[in-house]
């Protein structure tokens, strides 16, 4: 089988095929993306370390906001949670090592400290607690503290987009907490999934909204999108394919990864568009294993220390690549040689 890479080179590929329905062309391509990403993540695990939450801060607890290190820590946890759903990934030594490191940071940094007052951190605390609930043991005091916040009728009663409500509800539901968010099928009807933005005018944030709605409404592919008619599902699948092709052309590898994962979640993504996009993602992957974002491709221009600046420029697309592989393997199957 021949295909043309984003650099215009033709390559002859004779690989083991991935499982039927995979968004990757073959098992070897999928494994190479995963192995490179996990190698880079393992080498930079210490940079995901969040703040020490039981320290005294100059800001009042109500004014403490997440910040990029807390966000990165939570996103690493989410990627590990999804990897643990797939036996072939859960058994990998690199996944086990990253999991131990993540849990150690969570405990050392006391990340659930003062959850009743640090209201801006509650969504990230819910993500972290859902991760611990699936891969270890969620501490009951933290669960009770989050429930106490919800019982104040604040987080689920404030003005939010359907995207934001879907995201937050997903993690509260995963923890079995009481809340007042609308039902998932109601939120889907209020979202842009049924009024998809015209691609020529769509902003990047619009496409992130689409992928996150798919992720959290489908539980990352574990269930169908709620209350969706077949024609609407077909339209969403077509839209994801067109958006993916556009993002490959723009070399937006963060969104390419998200859209590949979303196509894996809703099915119907095992086609030449996905296969070409996955090939292009693999070609964009750097020798160190990370996936670059657009700021890295433009050249980092910052006064920060180089390693820190590069980390925050590339960690997210690298995590997204792991999520895409996990969603693909959960949905399509591991394929031959998946555990290598």
């Amino acid at each position: 089988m021949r295909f043309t890479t984003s650099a215009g080179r033709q390559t002859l590929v004779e690989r083991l095929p991935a499982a039927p329905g995979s968004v990757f062309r073959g098992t070897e391509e999928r494994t190479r993306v995963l192995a490179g990403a996990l190698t880079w993540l393992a080498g930079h695990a210490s940079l995901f370390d969040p703040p020490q939450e039981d320290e005294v801060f100059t800001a009042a607890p109500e004014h403490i906001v997440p910040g990029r290190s807390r966000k990165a820590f939570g996103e690493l946890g989410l990627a590990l949670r999804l990897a643990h759903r797939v036996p072939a990934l859960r058994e990998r030594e690199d996944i086990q090592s990253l999991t131990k490191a993540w849990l150690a940071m969570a405990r050392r940094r006391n990340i659930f400290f003062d959850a009743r007052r640090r209201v801006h951190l509650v969504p990230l605390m819910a993500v972290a607690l859902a991760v611990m609930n699936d891969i270890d043991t969620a501490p009951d005091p933290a669960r009770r503290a989050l429930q106490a916040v919800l019982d104040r009728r604040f987080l689920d009663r404030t003005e939010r987009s359907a995207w934001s409500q879907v995201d937050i509800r997903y993690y509260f539901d995963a923890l079995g907490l009481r809340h007042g968010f609308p039902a998932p099928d109601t939120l889907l009807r209020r979202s842009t999934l049924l009024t998809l933005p015209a691609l020529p005018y769509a902003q990047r944030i619009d496409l992130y909204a689409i992928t996150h709605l798919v992720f959290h409404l489908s539980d990352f592919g574990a269930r169908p999108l709620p209350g969706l008619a077949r024609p609407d599902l077909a339209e969403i699948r077509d839209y994801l394919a067109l958006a993916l092709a556009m993002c490959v052309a723009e070399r937006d590898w963060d969104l390419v990864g998200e859209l590949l994962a979303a196509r894996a979640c809703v099915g119907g993504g095992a086609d030449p568009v996905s296969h070409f996009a996955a090939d292009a993602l693999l070609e964009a992957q750097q020798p160190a294993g990370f996936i670059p974002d657009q700021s890295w491709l433009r050249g980092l221009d910052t006064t920060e220390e180089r390693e820190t600046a590069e980390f925050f420029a590339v960690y997210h697309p690298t995590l997204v690549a792991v999520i895409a592989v996990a969603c693909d393997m959960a949905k399509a199957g591991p394929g031959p040689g998946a555990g290598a």
Side-chain angles (χ1 to χ4, degrees):
M1 178 182 297
R2 290 187 181 273
F3 68 94
T4 304
T5 67
S6 59
R9 298 189 297 272
Q10 283 209 330
T11 306
L12 179 63
V13 179
E14 294 178 357
R15 301 283 188 260
L16 286 171
S22 174
V23 298
F24 290 85
R25 185 181 301 276
T27 298
E28 182 170 330
E29 285 77 10
R30 187 170 66 182
T31 301
R32 285 168 59 198
V33 168
L34 176 68
L38 290 176
T39 296
W40 185 85
L41 291 170
H44 296 79
S46 62
L47 295 178
F48 286 94
D49 204 12
Q52 186 70 41
E53 297 297 1
D54 51 5
E55 285 185 350
V56 176
F57 288 84
T58 55
E62 293 82 359
H63 298 151
I64 295 174
V65 295
R68 61 183 187 175
S69 62
R70 292 187 182 96
K71 179 176 178 288
F73 174 77
E75 288 165 340
L76 173 60
L78 173 59
L80 292 171
R81 176 178 181 256
L82 296 174
H84 274 251
R85 290 182 171 185
V86 183
L89 296 181
R90 185 171 62 243
E91 294 165 4
R92 289 180 62 113
E93 289 186 8
D94 42 16
I95 292 291
Q96 293 178 6
S97 177
L98 279 168
T99 301
K100 290 178 182 177
W102 189 91
L103 290 169
M105 286 186 281
R107 296 185 176 111
R108 184 176 70 253
R109 296 306 193 186
N110 201 5
I111 61 171
F112 302 113
F113 178 79
D114 203 12
R116 292 177 178 84
R117 294 191 65 192
R118 301 184 186 199
V119 291
H120 297 295
L121 302 190
V122 166
L124 287 182
M125 290 177 176
V127 173
L129 195 60
V131 173
M132 295 186 78
N133 194 52
D134 280 10
I135 68 176
D136 191 66
T137 302
D140 285 335
R143 191 190 302 268
R144 290 194 296 270
L146 290 182
Q147 186 63 71
V149 174
L150 283 168
D151 288 345
R152 295 174 184 172
R153 297 174 175 263
F154 164 63
L155 282 174
D156 51 2
R157 303 303 199 278
T158 52
E159 184 68 29
R160 298 177 185 273
S161 67
W163 166 18
S164 173
Q165 292 184 70
V166 165
D167 279 10
I168 297 172
R169 179 191 168 118
Y170 171 77
Y171 295 102
F172 290 149
D173 283 349
L175 293 166
L177 300 180
R178 300 183 305 275
H179 58 74
F181 288 107
D185 57 340
T186 299
L187 289 172
L188 186 148
R189 290 194 299 272
R190 295 177 182 176
S191 76
T192 53
L193 281 179
L194 296 185
T195 54
L196 293 162
L199 277 174
Y201 310 105
Q203 300 180 61
R204 296 182 78 235
I205 194 68
D206 298 320
L207 299 183
Y208 281 114
I210 297 298
T211 59
H212 279 240
L213 287 163
V214 167
F215 294 156
H216 294 121
L217 287 169
S218 73
D219 189 10
F220 291 89
R223 61 183 178 232
L225 293 171
L228 196 65
R230 184 172 298 179
D232 291 326
L233 177 59
E235 184 176 356
I236 291 169
R237 286 172 170 171
D238 289 346
Y239 186 91
L240 292 172
L242 290 170
L244 178 59
M246 182 180 76
C247 290
V248 171
E250 294 176 347
R251 302 177 71 207
D252 190 338
W253 305 120
D254 195 42
L255 270 170
V256 166
E258 293 225 358
L259 288 161
L260 280 171
R263 296 203 79 197
C265 289
V266 299
D271 60 17
V273 174
S274 287
H275 294 166
F276 181 80
D279 291 338
L281 186 71
L282 178 59
E283 185 174 323
Q285 189 171 29
Q286 299 300 298
F290 66 82
I291 308 291
D293 75 348
Q294 290 186 318
S295 69
W296 188 91
L297 292 171
R298 289 192 298 266
L300 297 175
D301 182 16
T302 178
T303 57
E304 278 188 308
E305 192 271 330
R306 170 74 189 188
E307 184 183 22
T308 301
E310 183 172 83
F311 171 79
F312 284 109
V314 306
Y315 86 85
H316 190 267
T318 306
L319 284 179
V320 167
V322 175
I323 290 172
V325 170
C327 290
D328 188 66
M329 292 178 69
K331 195 78 170 182

